[in-house]
Amino acid sequence: GDVIHRMLTATQYIAPLMANFNPSYSRNSTVQYLDNGTVFVVQWDKVYLQGKEDLGSFTFQAALHSSGRIVFGYKEIPVPVLQISASQHPVKAGLSDAFMVLNPSPDVP
C-alpha cells in the first residue's frame, strides 16, 4: 500500500539511486537481477525519470556480496543528482535501517 511504501522508502533501503523512475516508459528499460550465491546484483538499465524523460536514461546497479560488502556502480547518470526533483518521490542514495514514528506522543520526541 501507499503508506507502507512511503514508510519503507523513508526508513529502510539500500539505494544506489532512489528517485521517481518509470521503468515502463521505454521497451529498452529493464530492472534485472543476478544471484550467483556469492553476490546479488540488481541493475536498473536505461530507466527514465517520470515526466522528465527528455533528460535521458539512467543505468546503475547495486551489488550485495555475501561478505557484507555493498558496491554501487554507475554507468549513465545524465543529470546531477542534486538537480532531480524530490516533489513526487524521495531522491536518495545510500543505506538506511531506521524507523519512523507516525503518531508522536508527549513521551516520544
Side-chain angles (χ1 to χ4, degrees):
D2 240 9
V3 172
I4 298 293
H5 176 70
R6 279 195 313 270
M7 287 176 57
L8 285 176
T9 60
T11 60
Q12 298 176 1
Y13 55 85
I14 299 173
L17 182 55
M18 182 190 309
N20 194 22
F21 289 108
N22 178 8
S24 66
Y25 174 74
S26 168
R27 290 180 189 226
N28 295 325
S29 298
T30 60
V31 179
Q32 301 176 51
Y33 67 90
L34 167 95
D35 184 353
N36 70 7
T38 59
V39 64
F40 176 76
V41 180
V42 179
Q43 178 165 309
W44 292 259
D45 192 33
K46 296 180 179 69
V47 293
Y48 292 83
L49 289 168
Q50 177 73 40
K52 298 288 185 183
E53 293 83 3
D54 59 320
L55 295 177
S57 67
F58 293 70
T59 297
F60 53 92
Q61 63 180 216
L64 286 65
H65 296 261
S66 60
S67 66
R69 187 170 67 127
I70 298 171
V71 178
F72 295 157
Y74 304 91
K75 184 176 180 185
E76 296 174 340
I77 306 295
V79 296
V81 173
L82 294 176
Q83 290 182 11
I84 299 173
S85 172
S87 64
Q88 298 297 315
H89 192 285
V91 177
K92 302 177 184 183
L95 310 172
S96 178
D97 184 16
F99 64 92
M100 190 167 156
V101 176
L102 293 177
N103 297 316
S105 70
D107 301 333
V108 179

